[in-house]
Amino acid sequence: MALINVSELDVRFGAGEDIVHAVRGVSFSVEQGETFGLVGESGSGKSTVLRAVSGLNPDWAGTIEIDGTRLGAARDRPFYKRVQMVFQDPYGSLHPRHTVDRILSEPCQIHGMSGIEDRVKEVLVAVGLGPTFRFRFPHQLSGGQRQRVAIARSLILEPEILLLDEPTSALDVSVQAEILNLLQRLKRDRGLTFVLVSHDLSVIAHMCDRLAVMNAGRIVEELTVAQLRASEPREAYTRQLLRASLGYDRAAAAKMESFD
Ligand code: ADP
Ligand code: MG
């Protein structure tokens, strides 16, 4: 049985003439230990899918199951011990007036966990930040360090699933690779399952086992990364996205000629 099962997910915003039908009949499954990618251009509905799964948006229709248990609109506390989300903007997602220590301790306090100080220290080391970062504020950190703190916060309750929404899109290219590699290592060490959203197919290809391509609220194609690498996207839309993703990378662009 799949760990995550999303079936016929539908999300609409607004009402009447202003209605936005952001997600239309989206279905996918993710196996335990897999990294599943959701790729598509801006506005295609990727974040809306993740927000529905994570419980941030309670207004959706369809079925979302974790480990065979069907989720309702509201999420209970145990859900957040299993499923955590990481956002694109590490500055916006960290409280500006809280120290790293407080940012990491608070979820533990809410969940009544013990040994909080040791947990905070352990998770800071795990994300490549030493204990000296504990009493810093977000504005005293670089973008990459802030995203490491956001990842540490997502891990502190020891979840099984991370929902990653463009986790490196706000970062410099050199820092992007560091964060992606960190995520790979954490996934391996902790046996995590990832759903990774990105508009960038090269990020998805680097990280994922399988991916779904979204366009205008629908999944237009699902394929393995092996199929992607073997230049086998079925849909013209996926091929176009591939070209756009690789447009600024000359070496990769050269390899792309077979798509023209
Ligand atoms: P993506 O993450 O792929 O860029 P989103 O899921 O953020 O796309 O958005 C999908 C569509 O839903 C867009 O048209 C967006 O404007 C719309 N949308 C997202 N959130 C809201 C909201 N809270 N209210 C109204 N429209 C929204
Ligand atoms: Mg988004």
Side-chain angles (χ1 to χ4, degrees), residues 23-75:
V23 174
R24 301 161 181 251
V26 161
S27 303
F28 62 91
S29 296
V30 185
E31 300 295 327
Q32 201 277 327
E34 215 181 4
T35 298
F36 184 79
L38 267 183
V39 70
E41 61 195 308
S42 179
S44 56
K46 308 178 300 294
S47 295
T48 304
V49 170
L50 275 203
R51 290 169 65 85
V53 175
S54 72
L56 280 170
N57 174 9
D59 214 7
W60 48 269
T63 311
I64 305 174
E65 292 170 330
I66 305 286
D67 219 3
T69 303
R70 193 170 173 158
L71 301 179
R75 301 286 185 273

Side-chain angles (χ1 to χ4, degrees), residues 84-207:
Q84 284 282 321
M85 189 149 163
V86 175
F87 300 91
Q88 171 174 352
D89 172 11
Y91 202 63
S93 71
L94 302 177
H95 195 297
R97 288 188 302 280
H98 289 182
T99 61
V100 169
D101 185 69
R102 183 162 174 196
I103 288 165
L104 299 178
S105 300
E106 262 180 6
C108 302
Q109 284 154 5
I110 291 167
H111 286 263
M113 295 175 106
S114 58
I116 294 177
E117 190 177 326
D118 287 343
R119 283 177 191 277
V120 169
K121 288 178 181 165
E122 185 274 330
V123 83
L124 278 175
V125 171
V127 299
L129 297 173
T132 53
F133 285 88
R134 232 178 111 197
F135 296 102
R136 293 205 197 165
F137 290 91
H139 69 85
Q140 296 171 314
L141 305 174
S142 70
Q145 289 166 345
R146 285 197 290 261
Q147 197 58 309
R148 286 173 194 265
V149 172
I151 292 166
R153 181 181 52 186
S154 78
L155 292 174
I156 198 135
L157 297 177
E158 298 177 10
E160 297 157 56
I161 298 168
L162 289 192
L163 307 173
L164 301 149
D165 192 357
E166 308 263 10
T168 60
S169 300
L171 305 173
D172 293 345
V173 174
S174 60
V175 182
Q176 276 187 25
E178 282 176 25
I179 298 293
L180 292 177
N181 291 336
L182 170 67
L183 287 167
Q184 296 273 49
R185 182 166 56 72
L186 291 167
K187 179 180 176 236
R188 204 176 50 235
D189 292 351
R190 294 170 187 241
L192 299 165
T193 301
F194 285 173
V195 181
L196 173 65
V197 158
S198 178
H199 65 277
D200 186 341
L201 255 182
S202 55
V203 167
I204 295 285
H206 179 66
M207 296 291 286

